Amino acid sequence: MAEEEDLADMPRVVGVLAALLERVTERNDAAAAELELAVAGAPAASVFRATTKPDITVRAYMARIARFAGCSPACYVVAYIYLDRLLRRRRRACAFSVDSYSVHRLLITAVLAAVKFMDDICYNNAYFAKVGGVSLPEMNYLEVDFLFGVGFDLNVSPETFGHYCAVLQSEMLCLELEPPPSPSPAPAARLHCFLSEDDTSSSGSTQHQLAA
């Protein structure tokens, strides 16, 4: 798709984040399928969960956001931090993960929150709703739920920003060194730990749902 090809002209963080979320989504889709076979029942309800899988890929959706949102590259790192914070908090209350049904709404809402916090000038919710392919009332509702989901914890310290940048840089190197796919089963995906202000050392840290 043209939008996927446009990732080559975007800041590298856009492509790296798209690849990471794509892999996380595929992994969680597979885990959800196995769980459905073992346990009958509907998945946990969430405003971010669509009733059907969007036709657009994560990579193409990310390229669309990057093309039309007009935000600074730092916003994508901050959006990544917000997603991790949301998943940490939601994990304590109910089963919630980034999968094919939720990743698009989570992504557009996280970028919207990051843009408003980081950039001096940004588009309004009506514009982001059109970019994300949702209605304005839905975009407003997603934003409010997201803010409550992260506990209105939008501040990002330089140390935290640096930690997440390091994770994304590591992911970028992995993508560059990644061998072509083989028909044989691949080993289990690497697990990255996403650090917050309270997680400044690698020892004793816990894995989070956005780990890839």
Side-chain angles (χ1 to χ4, degrees):
M1 293 178 63
E3 286 180 328
E4 292 183 356
E5 294 175 357
D6 284 348
L7 278 175
D9 301 324
M10 303 295 177
R12 299 188 75 178
V13 64
V14 175
V16 173
L17 184 55
L20 190 152
L21 288 174
E22 213 166 42
R23 188 166 68 247
V24 170
T25 297
E26 291 172 356
R27 187 190 63 190
N28 287 337
D29 283 347
E34 293 178 1
L35 185 61
E36 287 177 3
L37 293 175
V39 181
S46 167
V47 297
F48 296 102
R49 188 173 179 83
T51 55
T52 59
K53 293 182 180 180
D55 294 330
I56 188 171
T57 65
V58 175
R59 193 175 296 269
Y61 195 71
M62 192 74 185
R64 177 178 173 81
I65 293 174
R67 178 194 293 179
F68 295 110
C71 58
S72 61
C75 287
Y76 298 103
V77 180
V78 172
Y80 183 36
I81 296 171
Y82 290 169
L83 283 172
D84 197 36
R85 288 178 179 176
L86 176 72
L87 295 176
R88 291 186 191 207
R89 293 172 63 91
R90 287 291 174 91
R91 186 181 58 172
R92 301 167 188 167
C94 62
F96 184 80
S97 65
V98 178
D99 59 18
S100 293
Y101 292 90
S102 63
V103 63
H104 300 82
R105 283 174 168 80
L106 285 168
L107 187 52
I108 189 66
T109 311
V111 172
L112 172 63
V115 169
K116 287 187 174 182
F117 189 80
M118 293 290 295
D119 289 354
D120 295 328
I121 301 175
C122 65
Y123 293 107
N124 58 22
N125 283 29
Y127 182 87
F128 269 87
K130 291 181 180 180
V131 173
V134 298
S135 66
L136 176 57
E138 186 177 12
M139 186 77 262
N140 292 338
Y141 190 67
L142 289 170
E143 181 186 22
V144 171
D145 193 83
F146 190 91
L147 292 175
F148 274 98
V150 298
F152 291 87
D153 181 15
L154 300 179
N155 188 55
V156 176
S157 69
E159 293 77 16
T160 297
F161 187 86
H163 287 315
Y164 280 80
C165 282
V167 171
L168 290 173
Q169 287 174 347
S170 176
E171 179 70 19
M172 181 177 63
L173 291 175
C174 290
L175 289 173
E176 291 176 350
L177 298 175
E178 194 173 66
S182 60
S184 58
R190 296 179 305 279
L191 295 179
H192 294 312
C193 180
F194 299 97
L195 302 171
S196 70
E197 292 88 343
D198 298 326
D199 300 319
T200 55
S201 65
S202 59
S203 60
S205 57
T206 56
Q207 303 297 341
H208 301 295
Q209 291 201 40
L210 259 185

